[in-house]
Amino acid sequence: MGNHGDTGGTATGGEPPLRPGDNSAGGTGTARAVVAGAAPRRLPPRRRKAVGGGASAPDPASLPRARVAGASTAWDAGEDPHPAAGALAPTPTKVPRPAGRPIVETAVGLTGRLARAASDAKYRSDLMRDLLTGRSTDLTGWTVLPSGPLLVVVAEADPPAASGDARAVRAGQEALALAWFTAVAARAPDAAVAAYPREVVALLGAPDDGQSARLVAELAAVVHADCGTVIRSFSTGIGRPAESLDALPTAYEQARRAVAAGRRIHGPGAVADFDQLGVFRLLSLIPDPGELDRFAREALRSLAHPRDPEAADLRNTLQALLDTNLNVAETARRLYVHYNTLRYRITKLERLLGPFTQDPHLRLNLMIALQIVRMQGG
């Protein structure tokens, strides 16, 4: 039996239950249910804003928020960027941006830039073609060209297999052009590159040390690494350095001849400098391949057949003899044959070709004929 005091007093052993409307426990006007043996659960305080006269304004968080289309920040979207301390910040609602118009504008802009780039590349290709063929020496449209002598480099994809697909050939040509653009831009930003249906042409500044072949070989190696999975191989030719724009057509023709000669001599993937072709340079200048073939057959006779195994073996012996200036002992060592075996072969060669060991003019003809057969793949 406990004694009760005035309103707001407590009974022994606990807090008296609150009646609806009772403001004696803090004046909040909210009834709290007390569970026996448990501490009273307190609800989180609501954010209140005093409005003149002490009246309570509704919690701003409970009001509907206006969403701004395209808003990128909490402030723009109608959310409080600095929530009150201790209060739970409302979870930002991500408003999707209208994607239609920006995507369309981006696509249109990209298409325009690609069109302008393609038009510019076509214009520059036409300008280079005019320079290389001698139709014009007008440099209008060129922002910069290498100073000093110009090096003309021609790269051609090696012939594909007989069953090569036309689309695969075109894809390989495009890959070859892109790889040359990339390699030249990284090594010589002031150089010019143009792509044509059958070849890629680059105008480079001739190196001061005269090592044109080394420079181009390094570029070709980079290009081959970039497009080797798309195109099987390509051959590269280098013309003589052109001292003026008027000399570019000649240098271009030399580079094209160097491509053909290098491929014939060294096979696919060759890098050939026109100045380093030696006698092949003269042979490449003969426009009629049939004339070269007739000369080789007249000089070598039955040994001129490239794919005859016995003829190929005798040609190899003849080439070794000419390379050693008819030194029989040295030739036998190079060919790994017995001295007497080599003497027998020499006798057989003279029966077929004539006394070349005694006639220097005949030896010269045989040397040229051997180079022609080599160019033809023998």
Side-chain angles (χ1 to χ4, degrees), residues 62 92 105 172 179 187 203 213 222 258 285:
S62 64
E105 291 178 351
R187 182 67 181 267
L203 289 181
V222 174
L285 295 176

Side-chain angles (χ1 to χ4, degrees), residues 135-294:
R135 287 197 293 263
S136 173
T137 57
D138 183 12
L139 293 181
T140 303
W142 294 100
T143 56
V144 65
L145 270 181
S147 59
L150 293 176
L151 206 62
V152 181
V153 180
V154 174
E156 289 183 3
D158 293 320
S163 58
D165 181 31
R167 289 178 296 180
V169 173
R170 180 176 179 181
Q173 183 68 11
E174 292 176 352
L176 178 64
L178 179 59
W180 271 100
F181 274 108
T182 304
V184 171
R187 182 67 181 267
D190 58 344
V193 179
Y196 302 103
R198 297 180 179 272
E199 63 189 14
V200 178
V201 184
L203 289 181
L204 308 173
D208 296 333
D209 57 3
Q211 299 296 323
S212 302
R214 184 176 65 182
L215 168 64
V216 177
E218 293 173 357
L219 290 172
V222 174
V223 172
H224 188 273
D226 287 345
C227 67
T229 58
V230 180
I231 185 171
R232 184 182 61 179
S233 65
F234 63 91
S235 298
T236 310
I238 312 165
R240 287 175 177 167
E243 300 291 341
S244 65
L245 295 179
D246 294 333
L248 284 178
T250 301
Y252 171 58
E253 187 61 29
Q254 292 169 352
R256 296 184 64 189
R257 291 183 181 276
V259 170
R263 186 183 288 131
R264 290 175 181 173
I265 299 168
H266 305 293
V271 178
D273 188 344
F274 185 79
D275 266 344
Q276 297 178 2
L277 288 176
V279 67
F280 296 105
R281 184 175 69 204
L282 300 178
L283 298 178
S284 67
L285 295 176
I286 298 177
D288 183 9
E291 186 62 33
L292 294 176
D293 185 65
R294 283 189 292 272

Side-chain angles (χ1 to χ4, degrees), residues 281-325:
R281 184 175 69 204
L282 300 178
L283 298 178
S284 67
L285 295 176
I286 298 177
D288 183 9
E291 186 62 33
L292 294 176
D293 185 65
R294 283 189 292 272
F295 179 86
R297 291 179 180 277
E298 290 172 3
L300 294 175
R301 302 181 186 181
S302 62
L303 301 186
H305 300 286
R307 294 174 178 80
D308 185 346
E310 183 180 0
D313 187 47
L314 288 175
R315 284 200 311 271
N316 188 38
T317 300
L318 177 60
Q319 185 68 64
L321 282 167
L322 297 175
D323 289 343
T324 61
N325 197 23

